[in-house]
Amino acid sequence: MGSQEYAEKSADIPRCEIEVPHPCCLVIFGASGDLAKRKLIPSIYRLYRQQLLPRGFFVLGLARTPKTSEQFREDMRIGIRETLPEECDDTCWRNFSSILEYRTVEYGEPESFRKNIADVLPLKEGIAGTGGNRVFYVATPPTIYEDIIFSLQAAGLSREQGNTVKIVIEKPFGRDLESARRLNTVLLQAFEERQIYRIDHYLAKETVQNILMFRFANSIFEPLWNRRYIDHVQITSAETLGIEQRAGYYEKAGVLRDMFQNHMFQLLSLTALEPPALFSHNRVRDEKAKVFQAIRPFNLDRLDETVVVGQYGKGICNGKAVYGYREEAGVAADSVTPTYAALKVNIENWRWNGVPFYLRSGKRLKSRTTEISIHFKQVPHMMFPSTMGNNIEPNTLLLRIQPDEGITLEFQAKNPGSRFCLNPVKLNFSYPANLVLDAYERVLLDCMQGDQMLFIRDDLVDLTWSLLSPLIDRLESLSDIPFPNYAAGTEGPAAALLLAERDGRRWKPL
Ligand code: BG6
């Protein structure tokens, strides 16, 4: 059946005012790296252009690579030119660049932290008027996290003395339960939980934030949001990109660590959580924790009913011939790292018992789509004539995270003219193309404002790793893995279809 779309383009959503945070300085560890150049500094620059940074503000970039502040500024200018070609104007850049400084530091040496950070900041803070408030942003490879935390503590930089001190930690947060626990222990020896901001950039996407608003600011959907009306839920994050230049990291991570422990499980928890009594960071995070606690541990003896993993071979993606994963630079020719996974999750509580959540994510797939689709139950009784068949499509509600951000409700409508002919139609809401803040801008602002809602609390890290670590261990212990098992540019491994089909369901096509 073809589906018709009656679309309501919603370009004129009123924009709310964004609060400018209190004065502070941003200290970036790993300032010579890619994240600083491509994401952090361009995000700070956009905030600066939109006048969303406080008056008292400066950035101190730190890394091991020796370079001058001048060289650092030049590197950052190149990064901004590349990532925001339309927004880089000379006057704005000149003013902005004056708030950027760089120093070389040795991560594992507290003395170096004393000399290059503790002794340097007070003078700069006095001039800039930041009130001594500090945000330490750790944007280095994860192997260095612990050294940095240790040196910050040893140099007396983690303590608050009438000022605020925060630390932002990038993902990956550990590579299994044990390493995540160790990192949490090290962090909590130096900082208090309220000072710690563990990033999951998915949470900062407008459309992800909208999940809770949509669920709890409308009275018409929430009464249906349970096992009585919902048949199952699909959460998809499909990419057309491969691993780019990240083989070093990805070979050791794989898709379950890279996408599931964080982004996919966060999307799951926002879809499944109970309404908190208050929209406050800890109340929302308490409810997320309850969802993770209610997930049935994966049955490691029946892996085929729980999980399907895959790795892409060569193929055609976006019209271009692309390499298979094993041919990518830096990847072992016999690598068994999965680039795709489909996972069935059961949440055992009153709301969701018997409603499977199917999660899938992969690289080099047919299209770039991140979405949550809620599949409602079939009508309880088919009263229409048998000539219409029994295949009336059940209603679907689609939360479109990216691209083409918005919400679509699919339902049946009578075809004009005919007596009995029904067709699925779509009621569509779309966000305007350029959302006000991108995920990193939101993360930076919220952290400066001291709002932890979009960051991951220590217990959530523990709970998600507790669920996934045994599964990853079991998968990694398997020999004889038939990789590659999907061609680039396709829907993923054929076996993944079975995960849903075995339950009489179908994946939504990509
Ligand atoms: C990152 C993963 O966290 O998220 C990447 O490490 C992935 O592998 C990326 O490509 C996807 O993010 P987005 O915002 O492009 O969906």
Side-chain angles (χ1 to χ4, degrees):
M1 252 190 287
S3 125
Q4 258 173 295
E5 192 162 333
Y6 296 98
E8 182 66 35
K9 276 278 170 194
S10 315
D12 295 327
I13 314 172
R15 298 187 168 190
C16 301
E17 217 160 90
I18 299 168
E19 206 183 313
V20 175
H22 295 301
C24 68
C25 75
L26 177 67
V27 178
I28 301 177
F29 295 101
S32 60
D34 230 38
L35 185 67
K37 186 172 167 186
R38 298 198 182 285
K39 290 275 187 210
L40 299 181
I41 299 294
S43 296
I44 295 285
Y45 177 73
R46 277 201 83 214
L47 292 174
Y48 180 83
R49 269 176 68 94
Q50 297 177 76
Q51 300 185 336
L52 290 173
L53 289 179
R55 267 186 175 278
F57 180 80
F58 67 93
V59 175
L60 176 62
L62 297 162
R64 283 179 300 208
T65 314
K67 64 170 107 175
T68 63
S69 288
E70 259 326 298
Q71 285 167 323
F72 175 62
R73 291 184 196 120
E74 185 50 27
D75 291 345
M76 297 305 113
R77 193 167 68 91
I78 294 170
I80 291 174
R81 279 245 167 96
E82 283 167 8
T83 48
L84 304 169
E86 276 145 36
E87 297 190 39
C88 193
D89 79 76
D90 284 348
T91 319
C92 182
W93 165 255
R94 250 194 318 280
N95 295 334
F96 174 73
S97 66
S98 68
I99 62 170
L100 304 181
E101 294 247 359
Y102 181 88
R103 290 185 86 93
T104 310
V105 80
E106 281 307 324
Y107 292 130
E109 292 177 15
E111 197 38 49
S112 171
F113 275 48
R114 258 177 229 119
K115 200 167 118 222
N116 293 295
I117 312 174
D119 293 350
V120 168
L121 282 182
L123 181 64
K124 294 187 187 304
E125 290 170 331
I127 296 169
T130 60
N133 300 320
R134 298 167 180 174
V135 175
F136 295 113
Y137 197 119
V138 184
T140 61
T143 44
I144 308 170
Y145 291 177
E146 290 181 22
D147 278 350
I148 293 175
I149 298 162
F150 167 76
S151 296
L152 280 170
Q153 184 182 24
L157 285 159
S158 56
R159 273 197 314 274
E160 295 181 321
Q161 291 161 318
N163 58 343
T164 61
V165 176
K166 295 163 189 154
I167 183 162
V168 185
I169 301 280
E170 267 291 338
K171 71 167 271 259
F173 198 92
R175 54 170 281 108
D176 53 20
L177 180 59
E178 198 191 325
S179 55
R181 279 192 177 156
R182 198 181 54 237
L183 182 53
N184 262 337
T185 306
V186 172
L187 257 177
L188 288 163
Q189 271 161 7
F191 295 89
E192 288 179 36
E193 182 60 32
R194 62 175 176 77
Q195 297 176 277
I196 303 171
Y197 291 72
R198 298 175 194 81
I199 286 197
D200 184 321
H201 79 280
Y202 261 53
L203 293 181
K205 291 180 191 277
E206 286 284 352
T207 38
V208 172
Q209 291 172 54
N210 188 44
I211 299 171
L212 288 190
M213 311 282 166
F214 175 79
R215 286 189 55 196
F216 301 129
N218 294 299
S219 61
I220 57 173
F221 293 107
E222 198 49 30
L224 310 179
W225 210 263
N226 57 53
R227 62 191 298 273
R228 289 183 63 193
Y229 299 99
I230 294 179
D231 177 73
H232 72 283
V233 176
Q234 297 185 13
I235 303 181
T236 300
S237 180
E239 298 184 83
T240 49
L241 287 179
I243 49 152
E244 307 296 285
Q245 282 81 44
R246 298 164 73 220
Y249 154 74
Y250 201 87
E251 270 283 83
K252 294 199 202 92
V255 67
L256 286 163
R257 292 189 181 90
D258 186 47
M259 292 294 291
F260 280 71
Q261 182 270 331
N262 35 63
H263 313 324
M264 299 299 282
F265 269 36
Q266 286 300 320
L267 295 180
L268 168 83
S269 66
L270 289 168
T271 313
L273 58 69
E274 295 299 322
L278 262 185
F279 190 56
S280 75
H281 58 94
N282 269 333
R283 297 290 183 95
V284 171
R285 297 190 295 181
D286 288 347
E287 295 305 330
K288 287 185 179 179
K290 289 182 203 161
V291 172
F292 296 138
Q293 281 156 352
I295 291 179
R296 187 195 300 160
F298 300 114
N299 185 346
L300 304 181
D301 298 325
R302 306 298 303 262
L303 279 186
D304 57 328
E305 290 173 10
T306 304
V307 65
V308 173
V309 286
Q311 186 193 76
Y312 61 87
K314 61 182 184 326
I316 310 280
C317 219
N318 284 338
K320 275 200 341 227
V322 295
Y323 288 129
Y325 179 71
R326 288 178 176 179
E327 287 100 55
E328 303 270 19
V331 171
D334 56 354
S335 170
V336 287
T337 301
T339 59
Y340 174 100
L343 186 64
K344 181 174 159 188
V345 177
N346 296 294
I347 302 175
E348 296 187 318
N349 62 17
W350 274 53
R351 188 189 282 262
W352 295 117
N353 208 28
V355 181
F357 283 66
Y358 299 97
L359 277 50
R360 66 180 157 165
S361 176
K363 296 205 176 281
R364 284 276 190 245
L365 292 171
K366 193 170 175 184
S367 66
R368 175 173 180 250
T369 321
T370 303
E371 63 186 25
I372 299 167
S373 55
I374 314 290
H375 298 256
F376 288 90
K377 290 196 167 167
Q378 184 58 276
V379 292
H381 165 65
M382 197 62 70
M383 64 179 223
F384 302 108
S386 55
T387 47
M388 290 176 60
N390 282 327
N391 60 346
I392 292 179
E393 290 287 317
N395 301 125
T396 313
L397 178 70
L398 193 60
L399 305 175
R400 308 192 315 269
I401 310 290
Q402 64 189 17
D404 185 22
E405 292 84 354
I407 297 172
T408 305
L409 179 64
E410 205 168 309
F411 57 98
Q412 298 293 326
K414 180 181 174 298
N415 266 9
S418 69
R419 272 202 77 200
F420 291 126
C421 190
L422 285 169
N423 238 343
V425 292
K426 290 177 180 173
L427 198 59
N428 199 20
F429 157 78
S430 289
Y431 274 100
N434 52 344
L435 298 173
V436 184
L437 294 178
D438 90 354
Y440 269 94
E441 292 160 29
R442 176 87 269 164
V443 160
L444 286 161
L445 274 189
D446 280 9
C447 173
M448 289 189 237
Q449 270 156 354
D451 183 347
Q452 289 183 307
M453 175 84 79
L454 304 181
F455 299 85
I456 312 290
R457 207 171 54 190
D458 55 346
D459 56 331
L460 301 180
V461 175
D462 205 276
L463 285 165
T464 45
W465 275 125
S466 300
L467 286 160
L468 275 178
S469 269
L471 183 68
I472 296 174
D473 287 349
R474 173 58 65 93
L475 285 166
E476 289 182 348
S477 71
L478 300 177
S479 51
D480 191 25
I481 299 175
F483 282 172
N485 59 353
Y486 69 100
T490 64
E491 299 257 346
L497 296 180
L498 276 181
L499 202 64
E501 275 171 14
R502 205 179 279 123
D503 301 339
R505 297 172 174 114
R506 271 197 329 263
W507 286 108
K508 195 174 160 296
L510 289 177

